[in-house]
Amino acid sequence: MGLLATLRSINTKAIIGVMVTASHNPEEDNGVKLIDPMGEMLTPAWEVYATQLANAEQDHLITVLKDLVQKESIDLTNQEAEVFVGRDTRSSSARLSDAVLDGVTALDGRSKDYGLVTTPQLHYMVCCCNTRGGYGKASVEGYYSKLSQAFIQLTKSVPNRTDDQKCLLVDGANGIGALKLREMEPYLQGALKVSLFCDGTGGKLNHQCGADFVKVQQNSPKGIVMKAGERCCSFDGDADRIVYYYSDDHGRFHLLDGDKIATLISTFLKELLTKAGLDLKIAVVQTAYANGSSTRYLEDTMKVIVRCAKTGVKHLHHVAQEFDIGVYFEANGHGTVLFSKAAEEKIQQLCDDSEGERQGAATLLKNSVDLINQTVGDAISDMLLIEAILAIKGMTVQQWDAIYTDLPNRQLKVKVSDRRVIDTKDAERKTVSPAGLQEAIDRLVERHQDGRSFVRPSGTEDVVRVYSEAATQEGADALGHEVSLAVYRLAGGVGGEPKPL
């Protein structure tokens, strides 16, 4: 991957990033994420080359590299290459990071080793350098300063913020996010009071903690005692995902996932656009996994454009770029907000040229732009934005949660002999093959009030993922089981038939 990043750098005449991390996966796993010039994810065409290189036998490596150079018409003479490298806190990350740096050196590229950073911080560094400082100062301190100042500016006008309102419990997933949030605290100058747990001093990375654990288990991290109504959030292992949650007076757990986050942020931005008198097109991009209640609330109540994209943030990011302001979040809490250049210029112009309420709204928009890491989902940036919005709107976490009520849902999986028999369209909401499966799903959905279901093949294993929604949990569970049986019978299920929940 060091070799690949160097060739990509020559090809784009820009700095490329390589982050050594396995994100939300167990501590014993590891991997790499490659970062393109504007801080975005690696272009899909080069993912193919990454797979070919990763799978190449040692004695075929040079052949695969030469083939890549020829296909992309890469001139290896008189071309400078530079690669930024970062890593998470896994024990294997330092050794793998050294291997990446060796790959850069082998092709005479230059490298900068940022050491321990969050994934979003490395995305930020790459963008800063390739925009020659236009996006910010390419250092961890520059990142802390930019985000902290924007947060302080956003919240400074909020009257009578009590210490209780400033308090937030943060689960750092025993990972790099905990380390970096601790470093950042002094920059916030007391504008946010963080109680950090799962900070890496005791437990294992992502083990019974972190955003993925909380989302899947629908429960708080192990060993954490939450007071009723206390605001809590969880990062994942490399701090590019975030989910919020709280416990009510009856001890019931309430999750505020990516759908709730997207709704809060888009509502806030739309209100500011109205106050500022700015005619900018704002949209929320979701996947088929987005809860139907969130989609209805956004479309029917907020009158916000909603688009559906295939699962995977790279697909959502691409669709979000079509609008002046594109808010995108997967239900797992990975997401951000994109502002077009034209939108940023109009906001800045209004800050300079207007007065009164319009200028006030434009200033809040400008500070929001500075607080958001537009390159990629960023748990720290998203957390600060959410905290600022709740403070400005004077909302408790319970009031945020009550904006709409999630429809009960269920996610299941069915083992099949070959996941490729499942083909989908309409952003994975409809199946094209095998024959008869979509018709079967449609008939089953009709039997349930507020029913909705779709299936999609896993990207990594021979299973088909089933999602179902209905007016009651019993209905969602029943629909999920019925659709699972249809998948098993029509798509080559293996093992015993799926059993009712």
Side-chain angles (χ1 to χ4, degrees):
M1 293 305 102
L3 296 167
L4 183 74
T6 309
L7 291 177
R8 181 70 180 153
S9 177
I10 296 169
N11 181 247
T12 57
K13 298 182 174 62
I15 295 161
I16 298 297
V18 181
M19 179 70 191
V20 179
T21 182
S23 190
H24 56 282
N25 292 302
E27 188 172 318
E28 53 271 22
D29 292 356
N30 221 330
V32 292
K33 295 180 176 181
L34 280 95
I35 302 165
D36 255 0
M38 296 313 292
E40 73 274 47
M41 293 178 177
L42 183 70
T43 188
W46 278 66
E47 286 180 11
V48 178
Y49 300 141
T51 304
Q52 289 169 348
L53 270 176
N55 290 319
E57 296 294 338
Q58 188 64 31
D59 53 357
H60 288 141
L61 184 63
I62 299 298
T63 306
V64 175
L65 282 169
K66 283 181 175 175
D67 187 46
L68 192 168
V69 167
Q70 185 180 3
K71 279 180 179 169
E72 293 294 327
S73 304
I74 297 171
D75 180 6
L76 293 173
T77 60
N78 303 317
Q79 289 280 5
E80 287 193 357
E82 188 166 8
V83 177
F84 287 178
V85 181
R87 67 178 190 273
D88 71 10
T89 53
R90 286 172 167 81
S91 58
S92 61
S93 289
R95 183 169 51 85
L96 292 172
S97 179
D98 287 342
V100 172
L101 293 163
D102 286 344
V104 178
T105 304
L107 280 175
D108 296 325
R110 288 182 295 136
S111 60
K112 182 164 183 176
D113 184 3
Y114 276 93
L116 289 167
V117 286
T118 69
T119 293
Q121 284 176 337
L122 193 68
H123 281 257
Y124 168 88
M125 308 301 176
V126 170
C127 185
C128 286
C129 277
N130 284 323
T131 55
R132 293 178 172 80
Y135 192 65
K137 188 180 175 189
S139 67
V140 174
E141 294 76 19
Y143 170 92
Y144 293 151
S145 290
K146 181 182 177 183
L147 269 61
S148 297
Q149 283 307 305
F151 179 75
I152 290 165
Q153 290 301 313
L154 270 171
T155 54
K156 71 176 183 181
S157 59
V158 178
N160 308 319
R161 261 182 95 211
T162 65
D163 281 350
D164 276 356
Q165 289 167 328
K166 291 179 184 178
C167 284
L168 176 69
L169 267 67
V170 180
D171 156 25
N174 289 316
I176 186 66
L179 200 68
K180 294 300 166 181
L181 184 57
R182 187 74 81 207
E183 280 181 12
M184 188 177 186
E185 273 189 277
Y187 291 81
L188 291 165
Q189 299 170 26
L192 183 67
K193 297 186 182 300
V194 170
S195 295
L196 190 59
F197 55 94
C198 299
D199 63 356
T201 54
K204 270 181 77 176
L205 179 70
N206 293 324
H207 180 62
Q208 297 188 325
C209 62
D212 207 51
F213 173 85
V214 171
K215 169 76 174 152
V216 172
Q217 299 300 321
Q218 299 279 309
N219 215 331
S220 57
K222 295 295 182 191
I224 304 308
V225 180
M226 298 189 298
K227 295 176 194 163
E230 201 166 22
R231 268 192 337 281
C232 308
C233 69
S234 286
F235 297 173
D236 69 333
D238 66 335
D240 62 2
R241 291 184 185 186
I242 185 170
V243 294
Y244 268 70
Y245 46 95
Y246 69 96
S247 179
D248 66 22
D249 293 334
H250 303 288
R252 284 192 298 260
F253 176 84
H254 295 256
L255 176 72
L256 293 93
D257 61 8
D259 296 340
K260 293 265 181 175
I261 292 169
T263 304
L264 180 74
I265 293 172
S266 57
T267 301
F268 173 70
L269 294 175
K270 182 148 194 262
E271 287 169 355
L272 288 181
L273 289 175
T274 303
K275 284 180 185 172
L278 277 170
D279 184 22
L280 294 174
K281 205 171 187 181
I282 183 169
V284 175
V285 187
Q286 300 181 322
T287 70
Y289 286 107
N291 196 278
S293 287
S294 71
T295 309
R296 277 201 285 278
Y297 175 79
L298 287 164
E299 288 182 330
D300 300 343
T301 306
M302 287 308 301
K303 309 298 182 191
V304 170
I305 299 164
V306 178
R307 290 284 181 271
C308 191
K310 284 175 68 177
T311 305
V313 283
K314 62 187 176 187
H315 301 300
L316 284 90
H317 191 95
H318 182 70
V319 176
Q321 288 174 321
E322 297 172 13
F323 300 91
D324 294 316
I325 302 174
V327 181
Y328 74 82
F329 275 85
E330 287 195 302
N332 62 28
H334 193 169
T336 188
V337 185
L338 304 184
F339 293 84
S340 69
K341 280 281 166 276
E344 288 191 18
E345 286 166 8
K346 284 180 181 177
I347 291 166
Q348 183 61 58
Q349 190 174 5
L350 202 59
C351 286
D352 298 337
D353 300 344
S354 63
E355 53 189 33
E357 186 183 54
R358 289 190 73 198
Q359 187 182 49
T363 302
L364 288 175
L365 280 166
K366 172 72 172 66
N367 288 322
S368 299
V369 171
D370 289 340
L371 182 52
I372 293 162
N373 185 348
Q374 296 186 55
T375 63
V376 74
D378 182 340
I380 292 175
S381 164
D382 291 338
M383 175 194 76
L384 291 174
L385 180 62
I386 290 162
E387 289 300 306
I389 293 170
L390 293 177
I392 291 164
K393 292 172 76 70
M395 288 176 80
T396 63
V397 69
Q398 295 96 323
Q399 288 168 329
W400 170 22
D401 191 26
I403 289 174
Y404 66 83
T405 303
D406 278 331
L407 280 167
N409 58 84
R410 180 65 66 190
Q411 292 187 44
L412 300 168
K413 56 186 181 182
V414 182
K415 286 188 177 180
V416 293
S417 56
D418 183 0
R419 67 183 183 274
R420 289 171 297 185
V421 300
I422 299 280
D423 191 20
T424 64
K425 65 176 183 177
D426 189 22
E428 301 176 312
R429 289 178 289 190
K430 299 284 183 187
T431 57
V432 177
S433 66
L437 179 56
Q438 187 57 50
E439 290 77 8
I441 294 171
D442 291 342
R443 285 194 298 273
L444 293 168
V445 164
E446 283 174 11
R447 296 182 193 168
H448 296 271
Q449 184 185 343
D450 294 331
R452 182 171 77 91
S453 184
F454 69 91
V455 304
R456 55 180 287 270
S458 163
T460 53
E461 53 186 326
D462 279 324
V463 299
V464 176
R465 303 196 184 281
V466 175
Y467 178 88
S468 61
E469 267 179 10
T472 65
Q473 190 61 59
E474 293 76 16
D477 290 349
L479 178 57
H481 174 247
E482 291 159 6
V483 172
S484 295
L485 277 175
V487 169
Y488 180 88
R489 290 165 183 167
L490 294 170
V494 295
E497 279 197 344
K499 298 282 190 292
L501 291 164

